[in-house]
């Protein structure tokens, strides 16, 4: 891949990653609840899903998804339901008594790393728009006269690396906010704000239609 083409793709990755979406909401939610280091497991799940999505596109299955109405609708509505479920959990999250030992307070509400990874994975994988988007964008940066596997590998590494940084920013910002939440009422309001954002992301996903 030529350097100028890669730089264009690299810039596009930053714009795409910073665009607010379900992944960003999930990252901030995890940072709020568990702090940066533990909440970052959710981001690992997001990236694993991204790797699978790119693999699906490279294998040609993405084209099938893009043209199959029932497959697209199934994944879409699974994603809508899952985001609403996450919103319900966030709405009913129990506030903790936060004192100077913030990390100790976070420990009382922790899920296992595997569960956080799975949660992030499902958030990304249940969005058919992501696969269709990758299917539409990646070929624009390919040089068909050069080795395709190497180019796909470069793009995969670039997308994952950029998204890891961006989601770290979202997770870290939310984790910083936690330090200023000194009452259960404040925590409850923030939890419910994230619940509304999850439902909002679900509502946006429900409006997505397969391109004709």
């Amino acid at each position: 891949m030529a350097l100028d083409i890669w730089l264009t793709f690299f810039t596009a990755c930053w714009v795409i990653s910073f665009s607010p979406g379900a992944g960003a909401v999930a990252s901030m939610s995890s940072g709020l609840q568990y702090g940066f280091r533990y909440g970052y497991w959710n981001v690992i799940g997001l990236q694993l899903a991204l790797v699978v999505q790119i693999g699906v596109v490279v294998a040609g299955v993405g084209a099938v998804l893009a043209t199959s109405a029932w497959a697209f609708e199934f994944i879409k509505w699974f994603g809508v339901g899952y985001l609403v479920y996450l919103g319900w959990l966030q709405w009913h999250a129990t506030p903790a008594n936060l004192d100077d030992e913030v990390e100790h307070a976070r420990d009382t509400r922790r899920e296992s790393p595997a569960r956080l990874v799975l949660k992030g994975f499902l958030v990304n994988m249940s969005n058919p728009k992501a696969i269709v988007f990758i299917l539409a964008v990646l070929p624009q940066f390919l040089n068909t006269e050069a080795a395709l596997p190497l180019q796909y590998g470069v793009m995969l590494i670039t997308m994952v690396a950029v998204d890891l940084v961006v989601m770290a920013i979202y997770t870290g910002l939310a984790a910083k906010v936690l330090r200023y939440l000194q009452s259960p009422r404040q925590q409850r309001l923030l939890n419910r704000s994230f619940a509304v954002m999850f439902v909002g992301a679900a509502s946006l996903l429900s409006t997505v239609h397969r391109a004709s």
Side-chain angles (χ1 to χ4, degrees):
M1 179 178 287
L3 180 59
D4 58 333
I5 299 297
W6 179 82
L7 287 174
T8 303
F9 180 72
F10 180 65
T11 302
C13 286
W14 284 99
V15 174
I16 294 166
S17 291
F18 268 117
S19 301
V25 175
S27 297
M28 290 188 289
S29 174
S30 294
L32 169 68
Q33 288 186 280
Y34 309 114
F36 177 78
R37 286 183 297 176
Y38 202 87
Y40 200 68
W41 284 108
N42 171 81
V43 178
I44 301 302
L46 293 173
Q47 304 318 308
L48 289 176
L50 180 58
V51 170
V52 173
Q53 288 169 333
I54 294 177
V56 164
V57 170
V58 172
V61 182
V64 176
L65 175 62
T67 56
S68 173
W70 72 265
F72 187 93
E73 291 297 316
F74 175 80
I75 296 176
K76 181 181 81 172
W77 288 108
F78 173 82
V80 169
Y82 186 64
L83 289 173
V84 170
Y85 170 68
L86 291 180
W88 183 86
L89 290 179
Q90 195 75 43
W91 185 274
H92 293 281
T94 303
N97 290 321
L98 296 181
D99 50 25
D100 292 336
E101 298 181 17
V102 176
E103 289 300 325
H104 175 72
R106 288 171 178 160
D107 285 343
T108 64
R109 298 181 292 166
R110 281 185 174 178
E111 300 180 71
S112 68
R115 188 173 178 83
L116 285 174
V117 170
L118 178 61
K119 183 183 291 186
F121 181 83
L122 289 176
V123 165
N124 256 5
M125 277 305 297
S126 60
N127 184 0
K129 183 181 178 181
I131 295 179
V132 176
F133 180 80
I134 293 171
L135 179 65
V137 171
L138 260 61
Q140 300 181 36
F141 296 92
L142 288 174
N143 178 359
T144 56
E145 298 180 358
L148 293 181
L150 179 59
Q151 294 180 74
Y152 276 123
V154 170
M155 287 191 285
L156 171 62
I157 293 172
T158 303
M159 289 185 73
V160 169
V162 169
D163 209 50
L164 281 170
V165 173
V166 172
M167 293 305 137
I169 293 172
Y170 280 125
T171 305
L173 286 175
K176 291 290 185 182
V177 169
L178 187 63
R179 295 182 179 180
Y180 301 99
L181 300 180
Q182 298 299 319
S183 72
R185 181 176 180 276
Q186 290 173 317
Q187 294 175 62
R188 190 177 294 110
L189 285 173
L190 196 56
N191 281 334
R192 291 183 175 181
S193 296
F194 276 108
V196 171
M197 283 191 277
F198 272 122
V199 174
S203 298
L204 288 175
L205 180 57
S206 70
T207 65
V208 172
H209 298 287
R210 181 176 60 87
S212 301

